[in-house]
Amino acid sequence: MASWYFPVAGAKAAVLVAPGNAGNRSFRAPLARALTARGLSVLLLDYRGYGGNPGEPSEDGLALDVRAAQDFLAREAGTPLIYFGESLGSAVVTELATERPPSALVLRSPFVDLASVGQRHYPFLPVRWLLRDEFPTKDAVARVKAPVTVVFGAEDSIVPAEQSREVARAAGARTIETPGADHNDPVFSDWPELIDAIAGAIR
């Protein structure tokens, strides 16, 4: 499984970055650059079927991929781990956090579950019956023991802001709402407030 690891000597923590459905690890290079500048090691994960990796993505497959990434990072970094997930990646790292608790969990634009997003965009279809994967972020995050931060755009056209707020309420999380930001807004690539939220997740 091809991913990119950016180690920092003397890092206070390492960040496991689980991306959303769009793009690949090269799109997250500005994020990695900003985080390493703050003294954090970073692993940019690409799932099976993404970024040149073989295989077909599925809920079970992505769970295996993120566990392999966490195994690597725990072994190589030797520091506290922060999980950072974007959209779909939020569901992936939240499920991981229920079994392998991080020092902190930061979610960007998380959804309640996959069907809730699908139902919003295809209200005339029986989405819950059609989807084979669930990704139940809201239910899973309620079982996470680590401190949680939820970051989202107020004008998100893919994952409604209210869904991210629901996830935050379920976790008792700190929330950071970005006025005017859409789901894939460039501000999220290296937005200082997002970098602060990740870097400041471990005191």
Side-chain angles (χ1 to χ4, degrees):
M1 182 176 63
S3 298
W4 286 348
Y5 178 47
F6 301 90
V8 171
K12 65 176 181 178
V15 185
L16 170 54
V17 178
N21 188 53
N24 56 54
R25 58 192 178 277
S26 66
F27 287 57
R28 277 80 190 179
L31 175 69
R33 186 163 47 246
L35 290 172
T36 55
R38 297 289 294 272
L40 300 171
S41 297
V42 178
L43 177 64
L44 299 181
L45 167 65
D46 258 332
Y47 314 115
R48 61 190 63 202
Y50 288 81
N53 287 325
E56 294 292 330
S58 67
E59 187 169 3
D60 290 342
L62 269 56
L64 292 174
D65 294 343
V66 78
R67 279 162 174 74
Q70 195 268 353
D71 284 340
F72 171 87
L73 200 55
R75 181 176 66 251
E76 294 295 323
T79 64
L81 300 186
I82 300 168
Y83 300 166
F84 172 61
E86 303 174 329
S87 191
L88 176 65
S90 291
V92 174
V93 292
T94 298
E95 188 275 332
L96 175 66
T98 64
E99 292 189 4
R100 302 183 183 185
S103 294
L105 178 65
V106 182
L107 308 178
R108 202 271 283 173
S109 309
F111 48 70
V112 169
D113 56 35
L114 192 59
S116 296
V117 177
Q119 196 66 60
R120 174 179 174 84
H121 295 284
Y122 304 100
F124 47 87
L125 293 176
V127 173
R128 291 190 183 276
W129 290 99
L130 296 173
L131 288 174
R132 64 176 183 175
D133 295 326
E134 297 181 0
F135 293 104
T137 316
K138 179 183 173 182
D139 289 345
V141 81
R143 306 196 304 274
V144 173
K145 304 303 182 185
V148 181
T149 300
V150 173
V151 182
F152 59 95
E155 303 301 325
D156 196 316
S157 60
I158 304 297
V159 177
E162 183 51 37
Q163 288 205 27
S164 294
R165 294 188 192 103
E166 280 192 55
V167 171
R169 286 193 292 269
R174 173 192 177 205
T175 60
I176 301 174
E177 182 170 345
T178 315
D182 201 348
H183 190 74
N184 292 314
D185 200 297
V187 73
F188 289 124
S189 64
D190 56 359
W191 183 43
E193 196 161 354
L194 173 61
I195 303 305
D196 288 345
I198 299 171
I202 296 180
R203 302 295 180 182

